[in-house]
Amino acid sequence: MASFIIRRFLISILVLLAATFIVYVLVANAGDPRSALYESADPGKEAKIAAMTRNLSLDVPIIPRYLAWLGGALGCFVGNCDLGNMATGAPVIGGLSVAIGSTLRLVVFALIIAVVLGVAVGMVTALRQYSGLDYSVTFLAFLFFSLPVFWIAVLMKQFLAIKFNSWLQDPVIPPWVIIVSAVVAGLLAAGIVGGDRRTRLIAAGVGAAVVAVIMTGLSLTDWFASPGIGPVTMIIMSVLTAFASTALIAGFRSRIVLYTTLATAAVGVVSYFALDSLLADPTTMLLLGLLVTALVIGAAIGGGLGGLYRSQAIKASMLTAFGCSLLVFMSHLLDAVPAYSAKVNGVVIATIGATTPNFQGDFWETLLDQLGHLILPTIAIVLISIASYTRYTRSSMLEVMNQDYIRTARAKGLTERTVVVRHGFRNAMIPITTIVALDIGGLIGGAIITETVFGWSGMGKFFNDALKIPDANAVMGFFLVTGAAIVVANMLADITYGFLDPRIRLS
């Protein structure tokens, strides 16, 4: 592994060197950044031309200029990074760091959500091939993939932001919405569960009834005006998390694993009450520390009570601990919604920008403000990305599930859950890993259209503004970050291949 990483690192350095030289020469010859000043009637244009010439070293030939830039870029490996100045005279590092932070905040959530949902939906449709669910998801995937992102953004601004914020003033769910939602939930439940007609009808009825009861309760209790989880819901959701973790990791035949996850859920419920005052106004480091502590406690419970199923019990208990921690986090976040809504005049879902100007609040209110500005651009990116992940996962799962070793696993008497999760899904993730690695570099490069529509000053806007001038130093700073991200992501993908499929050797 060490030999592979060193070899790939050296090759990547050579690739980046060649690529940076080509890009620098192309940008440097794309035009004179001083051309607009030459035509200006500004009496101080001579001083501005001289300043831009000095900032971008335009009086130096291209090759020596590139070598000077390369020397500063190589300093990044020893902690002395110097990517030169932009046309305005500001350091490239300063503008780049702001753009990277804004873009990472946008794309990380979108990528995680798109991958998780896309892979999950792709798996289900592969296991229910040629069913109504499969045809419906396939149609929606092609539809979302074909829609222009700017058109989706305009619709979301109108219906998901403006009208939703207005509806929150009197959050009563109309009966027709409850009926339509119940019917859709019933159809989804029937498609996911599968089986004979009787089983599908029962699943459809249960799914529709559950959704109808929940939405009616939320409407009658005016939950959206003052949202929260509460002790009873916390207990119910923690128990459901324990059952879901057991079903995913070990199956319900392993009763010991179920007992360990229920014990972990009980600890999570206790922490919900015990940490109430501590989480009133926490810090990010405190939350991360509590999450690590919860995972360690979950692993200890799984290891102590797991017995012969210790390995599965540890994984299931840690997953339960993570789910319970997420519930506690969501509880405190929802409790802060009324106070935050009052401070922003009811504009809970923002339509433009990354934050509310001059907003001041505690930790939870500040986090709500950032999340409120993330909702629309995240959904826009997810709708486009989830379509491709769904289709790739479905195709990969169908190919894997028809392999000889899958038939052998079934012939050995393994449960369908074990066959699908441990044998099928693991190998089906190899092509998905490649796609995710490529998408990481693309997303870090910035979603120019999305950032423009929603007013985000991220990497896309940074690159677009630099290219208009053209500002070679700023463009090269952008290229260095995105190129390094693609190289690292592909290296991690190659390493992941070896963990997913032991037949793949990296030597």
Side-chain angles (χ1 to χ4, degrees):
M1 181 68 71
S3 174
F4 167 78
I5 293 176
I6 294 173
R7 190 167 63 249
R8 283 296 303 270
F9 178 76
L10 294 177
I11 294 174
S12 301
I13 292 296
L14 294 177
V15 171
L16 281 176
L17 281 175
T20 54
F21 176 75
I22 294 173
V23 173
Y24 195 97
V25 171
L26 290 175
V27 176
N29 287 285
D32 190 345
R34 300 164 295 187
S35 56
L37 291 175
Y38 290 145
E39 301 172 0
S40 173
D42 189 345
K45 72 175 184 179
E46 296 298 332
K48 293 180 180 180
I49 292 174
M52 185 175 292
T53 303
R54 183 174 60 254
N55 291 330
L56 300 181
S57 302
L58 298 177
D59 53 345
V60 179
I62 292 179
I63 301 300
R65 198 191 318 168
Y66 166 75
L67 294 176
W69 175 88
L70 182 61
L74 292 176
C76 296
F77 292 99
V78 295
N80 186 24
C81 201
D82 181 15
L83 301 180
N85 295 326
M86 295 187 290
T88 59
V92 173
I93 289 293
L96 200 60
S97 60
V98 174
I100 292 174
S102 180
T103 293
L104 285 179
R105 191 161 27 131
L106 172 62
V107 303
V108 166
F109 285 104
L111 182 63
I112 293 174
I113 293 173
V115 171
V116 172
L117 291 182
V119 169
V121 174
M123 280 187 62
V124 173
T125 54
L127 298 176
R128 299 288 181 265
Q129 187 182 15
Y130 303 136
S131 64
L133 177 66
D134 185 21
Y135 289 126
S136 300
V137 171
T138 300
F139 170 75
L140 292 176
F142 282 118
L143 177 64
F144 290 147
F145 191 76
S146 304
L147 293 178
V149 65
F150 57 86
W151 185 72
I152 295 177
V154 172
L155 291 181
M156 287 195 304
K157 281 186 175 184
Q158 178 64 30
F159 296 102
L160 196 58
I162 298 175
K163 289 196 173 183
F164 182 78
N165 289 330
S166 301
W167 175 78
L168 286 178
Q169 306 303 319
D170 185 22
V172 177
I173 304 177
W176 69 269
V177 174
I178 298 177
I179 295 174
V180 171
S181 301
V183 171
V184 172
L187 294 175
L188 287 175
I192 293 174
V193 172
D196 55 21
R197 180 178 298 179
R198 181 174 178 273
T199 303
R200 293 198 302 270
L201 288 176
I202 293 175
V206 172
V210 169
V211 170
V213 169
I214 292 176
M215 294 187 69
T216 302
L218 294 177
S219 181
L220 293 177
T221 57
D222 208 19
W223 184 86
F224 288 95
S226 182
I229 291 181
V232 176
T233 306
M234 178 67 191
I235 295 173
I236 295 174
M237 294 298 295
S238 297
V239 172
L240 292 177
T241 301
F243 276 92
S245 301
T246 304
L248 182 62
I249 301 299
F252 292 119
R253 292 184 180 181
S254 305
R255 295 296 180 89
I256 295 178
V257 177
L258 178 59
Y259 297 151
T260 58
T261 56
L262 289 174
T264 305
V267 175
V269 173
V270 172
S271 66
Y272 168 76
F273 296 98
L275 300 176
D276 186 66
S277 58
L278 181 63
L279 295 177
D281 190 13
T283 61
T284 302
M285 293 305 299
L286 175 62
L287 291 178
L288 292 176
L290 291 175
L291 177 60
V292 173
T293 303
L295 295 177
V296 171
I297 293 175
I301 294 175
L305 304 179
L308 297 177
Y309 298 92
R310 180 172 300 170
S311 177
Q312 292 178 326
I314 290 176
K315 296 177 183 177
S317 295
M318 291 182 68
L319 185 58
T320 304
F322 178 80
C324 292
S325 301
L326 186 61
L327 288 173
V328 174
F329 175 84
M330 290 301 301
S331 175
H332 286 273
L333 191 65
L334 291 174
D335 289 340
V337 169
Y340 169 72
S341 179
K343 289 185 177 181
V344 295
N345 299 320
V347 185
V348 178
I349 299 181
T351 58
I352 193 168
T355 56
T356 301
N358 303 319
F359 178 81
Q360 293 182 348
D362 60 17
F363 175 85
W364 299 110
E365 293 169 354
T366 303
L367 183 59
L368 279 172
D369 184 65
Q370 295 175 352
L371 293 177
H373 287 78
L374 273 174
I375 290 177
L376 295 187
T378 298
I379 293 177
I381 296 176
V382 166
L383 287 179
I384 304 300
S385 302
I386 195 176
S388 59
Y389 287 125
T390 299
R391 300 303 299 161
Y392 281 121
T393 303
R394 179 184 181 276
S395 176
S396 183
M397 278 293 295
L398 288 176
E399 181 180 358
V400 168
M401 295 303 289
N402 290 320
Q403 297 295 320
D404 290 338
Y405 63 84
I406 296 295
R407 286 191 286 270
T408 303
R410 286 179 173 141
K412 288 165 58 179
L414 297 178
T415 62
E416 188 65 16
R417 187 203 63 80
T418 303
V419 172
V420 172
V421 176
R422 296 189 60 182
H423 296 276
F425 175 69
R426 184 170 179 173
N427 289 280
M429 282 301 295
I430 293 176
I432 308 303
T433 303
T434 305
I435 298 168
V436 172
L438 294 175
D439 281 354
I440 287 176
L443 288 174
I444 292 208
I448 296 180
I449 297 177
T450 305
E451 290 181 5
T452 302
V453 172
F454 292 106
W456 278 70
S457 298
M459 291 288 286
K461 185 177 184 301
F462 181 85
F463 172 73
N464 193 37
D465 293 344
L467 204 58
K468 288 178 180 178
I469 295 179
D471 187 339
N473 289 341
V475 171
M476 292 307 298
F478 167 86
F479 180 78
L480 187 64
V481 171
T482 54
I486 292 174
V487 167
V488 172
N490 280 277
M491 186 183 300
L492 293 177
D494 288 340
I495 295 172
T496 306
Y497 295 155
F499 289 101
L500 291 175
D501 190 347
R503 296 173 298 178
I504 297 176
R505 294 292 178 262
L506 303 177
S507 57

